């Protein structure tokens, strides 16, 4: 149940932060990355358990999270979304600004 709530919230946040004409590309790339992670993660986890111990995969996850969070906290610039238009030209745009209520 937790994954479904998380996936729904993440999809909503991504679709709101991407430019209107890049929402499909953004959600498609995110879905592809999730699929690749589901293929690679069990292999890495199995290798860590086999070569180290049962506590190695969670520790590896913590280290990865710390590295990712520190990378995001150090980069203060806004992300730029780039997607290809049907005419083949690349469209670079900053994420849509939230509307004020």
């Amino acid at each position: 149940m937790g994954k479904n709530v998380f996936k729904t919230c993440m999809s909503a946040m991504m679709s709101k932060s991407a430019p209107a004409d890049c929402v499909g590309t953004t959600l498609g790339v995110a879905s592809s990355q999730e699929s690749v992670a589901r293929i690679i993660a069990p292999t890495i986890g199995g290798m860590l358990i086999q070569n180290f111990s049962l506590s190695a995969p969670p520790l590896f996850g913590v280290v990865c999270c710390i590295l990712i969070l520190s990378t995001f906290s150090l980069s203060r610039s806004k992300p730029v979304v780039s997607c290809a238009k049907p005419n083949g030209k690349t469209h670079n745009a900053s994420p849509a600004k939230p509307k004020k209520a």
Side-chain angles (χ1 to χ4, degrees):
M1 180 174 161
K3 179 197 175 293
N4 294 330
V5 172
F6 175 76
K7 176 113 172 138
T8 303
C9 292
M10 285 303 295
S11 295
M13 287 180 3
M14 285 187 288
S15 64
K16 287 181 180 179
S17 66
D21 56 344
C22 292
V23 172
T25 302
T26 303
L27 294 176
V29 168
S31 180
S32 297
Q33 289 174 341
E34 181 182 357
S35 297
V36 169
R38 287 182 178 202
I39 293 169
I40 294 172
T43 306
I44 294 173
M47 289 180 358
L48 288 170
I49 289 171
Q50 186 176 18
N51 295 321
F52 299 103
S53 69
L54 283 173
S55 61
L59 292 174
F60 181 73
V62 168
V63 169
C64 287
C65 287
I66 290 171
L67 289 173
I68 290 169
L69 290 174
S70 64
T71 301
F72 284 133
S73 67
L74 292 176
S75 75
R76 298 284 180 186
S77 62
K78 292 184 178 182
V80 176
V81 178
S82 177
C83 64
K85 294 271 195 176
N87 61 6
K89 294 182 180 177
T90 301
H91 170 69
N92 292 324
S94 294
K97 293 181 182 176
K99 295 179 183 176
K100 294 183 180 178

